[in-house]
Amino acid sequence: DVKVTQSSRYLVKRTGEKVFLECVQDMDHENMFWYRQDPGLGLRLIYFSYDVKMKEKGDIPEGYSVSREKKERFSLILESASTNQTSMYLCASSPRGPGDNEQFFGPGTRLTVL
Amino acid sequence: SQQGEEDPQALSIQEGENATMNCSYKTSINNLQWYRQNSGRGLVHLILIRSNEREKHSGRLRVTLDTSKKSSSLLITASRAADTASYFCATDSGNTPLVFGKGTRLSVIA
């Protein structure tokens, strides 16, 4: 059974803290993605990676960074958490093309920044 | 950049009825995908339709694609309370990551 796991389901942090969100997939996928999901705004892409050590900015990268040191792991880092980063964070992975590639999602991390 | 836009934003139906959700998009695509999200959980892939396909079935799901109108619809037949979820379309334009719409919230009342 293929799986994407995220380190926490719920997380509460204080403004200014450095926050690490971890995502691990066991499907040997090349591509990994971080989204945030807010009511009325849908899913917005923060960063993605097509290979180890590679990263690309998505639509809303400001205030975030990522790390992909191993193929199976993609970390999202909030350098200095702010209240407007309170959100649901979703990680996903997919195999590299060619072909029609669906994304496999983790269960999400609901982050609250106080 | 949001490409897919679902319509309606919310839909409430009785168990046993059919539910239809629509997705419109702006640019040419390789394929269009539909995902489901139960409350507070991750998304689950439901079905994928390629740009050269017009209709696809999977169990109680039927997806249509009209590339001339840049639109797709997802039909869930004989809905069940367990179908209550949010449904998202996502477009694949080839060289960029999937772009998701804002979703339709479906409530199926028993």
Side-chain angles (χ1 to χ4, degrees):
Chain A
D1 192 20
V2 296
K3 197 173 276 190
V4 179
T5 56
Q6 294 183 228
S7 50
S8 306
R9 289 298 316 280
Y10 300 94
L11 206 53
V12 180
K13 295 291 181 181
R14 298 234 173 250
T15 301
E17 279 193 76
K18 191 168 185 176
V19 181
F20 292 86
L21 302 182
E22 305 285 344
C23 175
V24 178
Q25 50 95 4
D26 65 0
M27 295 165 280
D28 201 35
H29 285 168
E30 287 78 13
N31 305 333
M32 296 189 76
F33 308 87
W34 273 107
Y35 298 89
R36 65 176 282 177
Q37 183 179 24
D38 301 287
L41 296 177
L43 273 75
R44 293 182 292 168
L45 183 64
I46 305 172
Y47 267 97
F48 59 102
S49 169
Y50 285 154
D51 206 343
V52 176
K53 307 258 187 213
M54 291 181 65
K55 59 183 178 183
E56 300 281 347
K57 291 180 180 179
D59 299 317
I60 52 162
E62 296 78 20
Y64 303 94
S65 62
V66 289
S67 173
R68 184 112 182 254
E69 295 296 317
K70 292 185 177 181
K71 190 177 186 179
E72 67 271 18
R73 187 179 297 269
F74 193 34
S75 303
L76 180 69
I77 304 151
L78 286 66
E79 295 290 343
S80 177
S82 63
T83 55
N84 63 14
Q85 292 178 311
T86 290
S87 186
M88 169 73 109
Y89 289 87
L90 293 166
C91 175
S93 71
S94 71
R96 182 154 46 214
D100 302 315
N101 294 319
E102 66 179 271
Q103 288 189 10
F104 295 83
F105 282 81
T109 294
R110 189 166 293 280
L111 172 67
T112 302
V113 182
L114 303 175
Chain B
S1 56
Q2 218 91 34
Q3 159 128 268
E5 290 287 338
E6 291 90 344
D7 169 59
Q9 290 186 353
L11 180 61
S12 184
I13 59 173
Q14 298 288 326
E15 207 167 27
E17 293 180 339
N18 295 342
T20 300
M21 289 156 266
N22 303 297
C23 171
S24 59
Y25 57 92
K26 297 188 177 84
T27 63
S28 62
I29 59 171
N30 287 349
N31 67 66
L32 186 144
Q33 304 177 26
W34 285 92
Y35 288 78
R36 164 195 169 122
Q37 183 182 35
N38 287 81
S39 180
R41 311 292 296 189
L43 279 70
V44 174
H45 182 265
L46 292 176
I47 195 166
L48 179 152
I49 186 165
R50 297 188 181 90
S51 60
N52 61 355
E53 296 175 314
R54 291 297 164 259
E55 189 170 311
K56 203 160 182 181
H57 296 254
S58 177
R60 293 184 295 113
L61 305 180
R62 184 181 82 129
V63 169
T64 61
L65 179 65
D66 186 335
T67 52
S68 66
K69 294 181 180 177
K70 292 188 170 58
S71 68
S72 173
S73 67
L74 171 67
L75 168 68
I76 304 173
T77 59
S79 62
R80 306 166 182 167
D83 294 327
T84 294
S86 291
Y87 293 83
F88 295 84
C89 68
T91 50
D92 179 354
S93 298
N95 293 327
T96 57
L98 289 182
V99 179
F100 288 82
K102 296 180 182 179
T104 292
R105 285 191 318 278
L106 173 66
S107 298
V108 181
I109 301 161

